[in-house]
Amino acid sequence: MSDGVRCMLMRGGTSKGAYFLESDLPSDAAERDDVLLRIMGSPDERQIDGIGGAHPLTSKVAVVAPSTHPDCDVDYLFLQVVVDQAIVSDAQTCGNLLAGVAPFAIERGLVAAEEESTRVRIRILNGGGGEAVATVETPGRQVSYEGDVMVSGVPFGAAPIELEFPSEGGALFPTGRLTDVFADTAVSCVDAGMPVVLIRAADLGLEGDESPEELEADGALRERLERIRLEAGRAMGFGDVTDTTVPKLSIVSPPRHGGTITTRTFIPHRVHTSIGVLGAVSVAVGVAVPETVASFAVGTEEDAALRIEHPTGYFDVELELDESGRTLRRSAVIRTARKLFDGVVWPRPAAAVKGTTP
Ligand code: NQM
């Protein structure tokens, strides 16, 4: 396929991605992935021949369709387009791109906008799946800017989008234990929508507030983290995770700015400039449940919001656990999103040959 494809480019939270209606893409998954690689400019570390932003956080795709589930409005499939390899992965979802799904669905006419705000029930098709309820202000309201909010990691305000994740009480600790030891390091493996391995900074010889650049430049650290990740991935039931983007790794330490905990998150090889949405929910669960490697952080009451600090600010997560304190009832966060461009994108021709540049 080398015809143009209808596409909307959106910022979703602290990420950026290409949004498509499922019906605008090939129905065969292999064909679809091939087109997406050619649209984003992969494999190429600069993605210079495509619309990808040359970083995992800006090489993302959302595929949206009317839901086939009677209790949901739309289905959302997230695809990570690997920057420098010809890989498109559906192994994880993305809570940041999720923030753009409701406005996109309204713009494309899949959901009718209500007068004040619109509630969109979204079925997440990746991984363990699940449901999210997004509440967005009607698009017209965004011209007034009153009530706009800031989210850390985005320098401009925009209308708030509430994302709520009702929980059916699935396993939050996929290894069946609150702590494990992998590659001689104590960890807690948490999955509240995003599988994350929590590790105390001190156990890695770190302070915990190093910059993403410093952490990425530390080859010995990266090698040790990958050994931990490979062992944790198996124990979490993912098998060999060498080529997959989950689990992520969050290095945790005491808060620096009055929040609950400091984080630095490998996603899983680059360091996040902030933190993922569901990644933050998983960290919050690690804090809220006693006896994990993150329980040194300020504990929480039922219903309390936890402030997860990250390299560019903080991320508030509202958590509601049941009476046992070990099962999640719901979580909620506030994000913003913005339509950046709507039009037709041209994939590079299928026959284009990758060569060495002269
Ligand atoms: O955890 C990056 C992001 C994400 C994922 C990643 C996300 C989430 O910030 O829900 O949003 O962890 O790869 O976009």
Side-chain angles (χ1 to χ4, degrees):
M1 187 206 251
S2 53
D3 292 345
V5 183
R6 192 155 69 133
C7 168
M8 188 181 288
L9 195 65
M10 293 187 84
R11 173 181 66 76
T14 49
S15 285
K16 188 151 54 178
Y19 288 66
F20 299 91
L21 283 179
E22 184 191 53
S23 53
D24 287 332
L25 287 168
S27 50
D28 175 76
E31 251 181 75
R32 176 202 65 203
D33 292 352
D34 175 57
V35 171
L36 293 176
L37 288 166
R38 291 188 279 121
I39 287 174
M40 301 302 274
S42 292
D44 169 28
E45 64 180 29
R46 291 197 303 143
Q47 291 184 321
I48 196 65
D49 201 35
I51 63 168
H55 190 284
L57 296 177
T58 50
S59 182
K60 300 187 161 213
V61 166
V63 182
V64 181
S67 185
T68 53
H69 193 282
D71 295 335
C72 290
D73 301 303
V74 294
D75 286 350
Y76 159 53
L77 177 70
F78 169 73
L79 297 169
Q80 180 75 53
V81 180
V82 176
V83 172
D84 57 356
Q85 296 177 66
I87 296 174
V88 177
S89 170
D90 64 1
Q92 68 166 90
T93 189
C94 171
N96 271 307
L97 278 213
L98 173 67
V101 168
F104 175 75
I106 292 170
E107 292 254 357
R108 285 283 188 264
L110 301 187
V111 175
E114 305 288 329
E115 186 119 340
E116 285 287 313
S117 67
T118 309
R119 213 168 152 265
V120 182
R121 295 161 309 165
I122 302 165
R123 190 162 69 115
I124 298 171
L125 298 183
N126 304 84
E131 195 189 317
V133 182
T135 307
V136 299
E137 313 225 350
T138 47
R141 127 83 186 87
Q142 293 190 19
V143 296
S144 77
Y145 307 114
E146 267 169 45
D148 276 3
V149 297
M150 299 293 299
V151 296
S152 295
V154 182
F156 303 99
I161 297 174
E162 192 204 43
L163 297 176
E164 191 188 357
F165 304 99
S167 169
E168 276 158 23
L172 292 173
F173 296 90
T175 68
R177 292 171 295 273
L178 294 172
T179 60
D180 288 278
V181 176
F182 298 128
D184 298 324
T185 313
V187 306
S188 292
C189 300
V190 190
D191 187 352
M194 181 64 74
V196 179
V197 181
L198 305 179
I199 313 165
R200 277 186 295 249
D203 292 345
L204 296 166
L206 299 171
E207 293 297 325
D209 61 350
E210 289 82 357
S211 70
E213 295 74 24
E214 270 176 87
L215 295 170
E216 286 183 0
D218 186 341
L221 172 71
R222 289 175 57 164
E223 193 263 327
R224 178 170 177 189
L225 290 177
E226 191 59 4
R227 278 192 288 130
I228 295 171
R229 202 177 78 85
L230 292 177
E231 287 187 30
R234 280 193 196 286
M236 294 169 90
F238 298 121
D240 179 5
V241 296
T242 310
D243 288 328
T244 59
T245 55
V246 285
K248 318 281 176 185
L249 302 141
S250 254
I251 299 174
V252 293
S253 61
R256 306 305 202 278
H257 305 285
T260 308
I261 195 165
T262 300
T263 58
R264 294 293 183 266
T265 304
F266 281 77
I267 58 168
H269 302 118
R270 301 294 306 268
V271 177
H272 207 305
T273 49
S274 52
I275 190 167
V277 172
L278 290 154
V281 176
S282 290
V283 172
V285 166
V287 170
V289 175
E291 294 170 40
T292 75
V293 301
S295 334
F296 64 83
V298 184
T300 179
E301 304 284 319
E302 220 182 293
D303 290 354
L306 302 183
R307 180 157 287 187
I308 312 299
E309 297 182 6
H310 58 66
T312 45
Y314 62 83
F315 194 128
D316 286 339
V317 178
E318 233 182 87
L319 269 194
E320 198 180 314
L321 299 170
D322 75 355
E323 306 71 35
S324 75
R326 305 236 154 159
T327 307
L328 192 57
R329 274 207 188 116
R330 72 179 270 284
S331 56
V333 303
I334 298 290
R335 298 271 84 190
T336 65
R338 201 171 82 79
K339 174 171 70 172
L340 305 175
F341 168 86
D342 192 8
V344 175
V345 66
W346 268 265
R348 74 170 174 267
V353 176
K354 187 164 196 241
T356 45
T357 43

